[in-house]
Amino acid sequence: MNKPRPITLLMLLFPVLWAGSFIAGKWAVREFSPEVTSFLRFVVASAALLPFAFKKPTAPGAYSPRNLGLLFLLGLTGIFGYHVLFYHSLRFTTAGNSSLIIATDSLMTVGLAVLFLGERMTWRKGAGIGMGFAGVVWIVSDGALAKLVTEGPNAGDLLALVAATAWAVYSALSKPVLRLYAAL
C-alpha cells in the first residue's frame, strides 16, 4: 500500500474541520451569544492570517470606492451575516440539520451565478439543484413532508437557510473581486 501524500492528508483534514465547526459551534452558543462566538472565531482566524494580510492587490484600481464598497458588502454577507446567522441557527436546531441546510449554499450560488453573472443554466444543473434541495428537505423533515407543510420549519432551520443564502451571495459577489485581489 502506498503511503498517503501530505496533500491527501490535508484534503482529508478539511471535511473533518468543517464537520467539527458545527459541533464546536453548538457547544459555543451554549456559553456565548452568537455575536461573541463569531467575534472570537474571527480573532483566532485573524491572528492566523495576519502574516498574509498585507499583500498588495493584483490589479490597479483595487482600492477605488466602488471596490471598497464591494469588499464591505462581501464582509457584511459572507463574514458577518453568514457566521452570526449560522450560530443563531445552532441555538434552535441540530448541528446535523444546520450542516445539511448550509450545504445548500453551493446550489444557491449556481442559481445566483446564472441570474447575475451570466453563467448558463443547463438541465443537469437544474436537475442537480432540484434534487439537492429535495434531498435536504426530505432529510431535515425526517420524511414527514406533510408535517413540514402544516407546521412549517423550525426557526433554526430557517436561520440556517438564510445563512446559506448569505454565503451564496458572498460567493457570487466574490467572483469579480478575484480579478483584483489574491484569493487568500
Side-chain angles (χ1 to χ4, degrees), residues 89-173:
S89 80
L90 290 173
R91 295 173 77 198
F92 304 104
T93 193
T94 65
N97 275 11
S98 185
S99 69
L100 281 170
I101 294 167
I102 285 177
T104 65
D105 68 333
S106 57
L107 305 174
M108 289 186 253
T109 301
V110 172
L112 290 173
V114 168
L115 290 172
F116 298 110
L117 299 177
E119 294 189 13
R120 205 171 133 244
M121 176 61 82
T122 64
W123 72 268
R124 287 178 194 236
K125 285 181 187 177
I129 290 169
M131 288 179 3
F133 274 115
V136 168
V137 168
W138 184 263
I139 292 170
V140 167
S141 71
D142 290 325
L145 298 178
K147 181 180 175 186
L148 182 66
V149 170
T150 58
E151 295 179 15
N154 76 40
D157 293 346
L158 287 175
L159 286 166
L161 187 62
V162 177
T165 304
W167 189 261
V169 168
Y170 168 81
S171 298
L173 289 175

